[in-house]
Amino acid sequence: MSKTPASPKGKPAPKSQPRKAPAKPEGAAPEGDRIAKVLSRAGIASRREAERMIAEGRVSVNGKKIDSPALNVTAADRISVDGQPLPEAEAPRMWLYYKPIGLVTSNSDEKGRKTIFDELPEDMPRVMTVGRLDLNSEGLLLLTNDGGIKRKLELPATGWLRRYRVRINGRPKDEDFAPLRKGLVIEGERFQPMTVSLDRQQGANAWLTVGLREGKNREIRRAMEDIGFSVNRLLRVSYGPFQLGNLKPGEVEELRARVVRDQLGLEPEEEKPAARPTRARGGKPAGKPMGKPAGKPGGKQASQAPGKAGRPAGKAPPSRGSRPEQRGGGKRPAGKNPRR
């Protein structure tokens, strides 16, 4: 009769291997942000301008010039522009500006015409425009020191309504604007539907209120020309929740920080409402119970001596093999119902 071999004695157990940090999955996004985004956030330039600066060799990271914007940087990296350290990013700020007729909405003009930046107050920090207004258009132009805000407000997905007061030459009827309300295709370019209301006739001209949610180049002028009317005055009166109000041509007004945060969803973390409690499988909210528990939870209470004078003794231990019930990750003290 064969015997089963005995287990070897004195054989050491295999050593446990140290746990390795999980490897990053293939294709995982690199840490940090793109260098052009960081420059834009710091108010140096818009993303496109930052990319041009990088291509010109004006930007260095950790002492080395870079020539491509395809680089992610973190707070540990040392960034300089034209040999100067990158300034710390300022808090997001915004201004309302009444752009007068005759100024170009750009940093510089190849034809030597005056730009809005030539006319802004000297004590203004470096700012960027949110969108543009044509040379012969006037009214509300948003300015910001934050490239992220600029990009966000210019995206079609933001969808903020922009309202204009428009004066056209002619005697239109309301039905003449039906093509604009449906949406036009001009020279292969699709224009989204506009809201158009005929306000009043003033001699040989008519005043309209026009609303649109995207800003193609000369969009309103081209659309009106397509239906047979020419625009002789165009004034933007609002951009989303921001109004031109009583600003005069050339005036600038800074928005309050709270207004900027509220309208753009930039509330600080500490001002956000606390997260709602999760729900356990039984449908009851988890979390801390109301009131003070009678004693320590767990099965050790029966072996403990009564507490100090005036403090009740511990409760009897739970039945064998059982543990205090937990709901949704929060511990339920023995002897008290957390849903009082």
Side-chain angles (χ1 to χ4, degrees), residues 19-272:
R19 182 176 294 179
K20 294 182 179 180
K24 289 186 179 180
E26 271 189 45
E31 294 180 356
D33 292 312
R34 284 296 177 106
I35 179 67
K37 179 179 179 181
V38 173
L39 294 176
S40 177
R41 281 279 182 183
I44 295 296
S46 67
R47 288 196 188 186
R48 286 185 181 180
E49 291 168 348
E51 289 173 358
R52 284 197 291 267
M53 294 168 71
I54 291 168
E56 293 168 0
R58 297 170 58 188
V59 180
S60 298
V61 177
N62 299 325
K64 295 182 179 179
K65 287 185 179 181
I66 60 172
D67 57 9
S68 170
L71 172 68
N72 277 43
V73 293
T74 67
D77 292 306
R78 293 177 290 106
I79 304 168
S80 61
V81 179
D82 296 330
Q84 299 298 319
L86 189 69
E88 292 185 7
E90 296 180 352
R93 298 169 68 185
M94 287 185 65
W95 292 261
L96 309 179
Y97 172 57
Y98 190 136
K99 176 201 169 296
I101 295 173
L103 295 182
V104 180
T105 309
S106 62
N107 289 323
S108 60
D109 182 65
E110 65 279 1
K111 297 180 181 179
R113 295 171 295 186
K114 277 192 174 183
T115 74
I116 65 164
F117 299 102
D118 295 325
E119 300 297 317
L120 288 176
E122 292 184 359
D123 59 348
M124 286 276 291
R126 189 193 182 284
V127 293
M128 296 163 274
T129 64
V130 177
R132 291 173 178 266
L133 280 175
D134 300 332
L135 177 71
N136 294 318
S137 299
E138 60 184 304
L140 180 62
L141 190 62
L142 300 181
L143 308 174
T144 180
N145 67 333
D146 190 291
I149 289 179
K150 171 183 168 69
R151 180 174 174 80
K152 178 179 180 179
L153 298 188
E154 288 178 346
L155 288 174
T158 304
W160 271 357
L161 184 69
R162 305 154 198 196
R163 289 192 304 113
Y164 299 79
R165 293 278 290 147
V166 183
R167 190 176 66 189
I168 61 174
N169 184 252
R171 297 181 177 275
K173 297 179 181 177
D174 188 70
E175 53 267 27
D176 293 333
F177 305 111
L180 277 65
R181 294 168 180 146
K182 292 179 181 178
L184 294 171
V185 177
I186 302 175
E187 298 177 353
E189 189 173 9
R190 175 75 181 176
F191 286 12
Q192 296 299 321
M194 304 177 186
T195 61
V196 185
S197 63
L198 178 57
D199 298 332
R200 62 190 173 94
Q201 189 72 35
Q202 187 181 38
N205 298 313
W207 279 99
L208 320 171
T209 299
V210 179
L212 49 84
R213 295 186 183 275
E214 62 178 357
K216 290 185 169 67
N217 184 34
R218 301 183 69 253
E219 183 170 357
I220 294 177
R221 295 180 188 275
R222 292 166 64 192
M224 291 296 171
E225 288 171 4
D226 193 70
I227 62 173
F229 298 100
S230 62
V231 174
N232 51 40
R233 190 174 180 190
L234 192 148
L235 168 70
R236 182 153 69 192
V237 294
S238 69
Y239 194 116
F242 305 113
Q243 308 290 324
L244 181 64
N246 296 321
L247 281 180
K248 301 294 188 296
E251 287 185 347
V252 183
E253 179 183 316
E254 182 171 8
L255 294 168
R256 294 181 180 179
R258 183 174 182 82
V259 172
V260 175
R261 292 197 306 267
D262 290 348
Q263 295 297 340
L264 303 182
L266 303 176
E267 285 288 346
E269 290 293 329
E270 61 270 18
E271 293 187 19
K272 291 183 180 179

Side-chain angles (χ1 to χ4, degrees), residues 259-304:
V259 172
V260 175
R261 292 197 306 267
D262 290 348
Q263 295 297 340
L264 303 182
L266 303 176
E267 285 288 346
E269 290 293 329
E270 61 270 18
E271 293 187 19
K272 291 183 180 179
R276 297 178 64 183
T278 56
R279 289 194 173 270
R281 284 176 291 179
K284 296 180 180 181
K288 293 182 180 180
M290 296 174 64
K292 293 183 178 180
K296 292 183 180 179
K300 295 183 180 180
Q301 287 187 351
S303 62
Q304 293 175 351

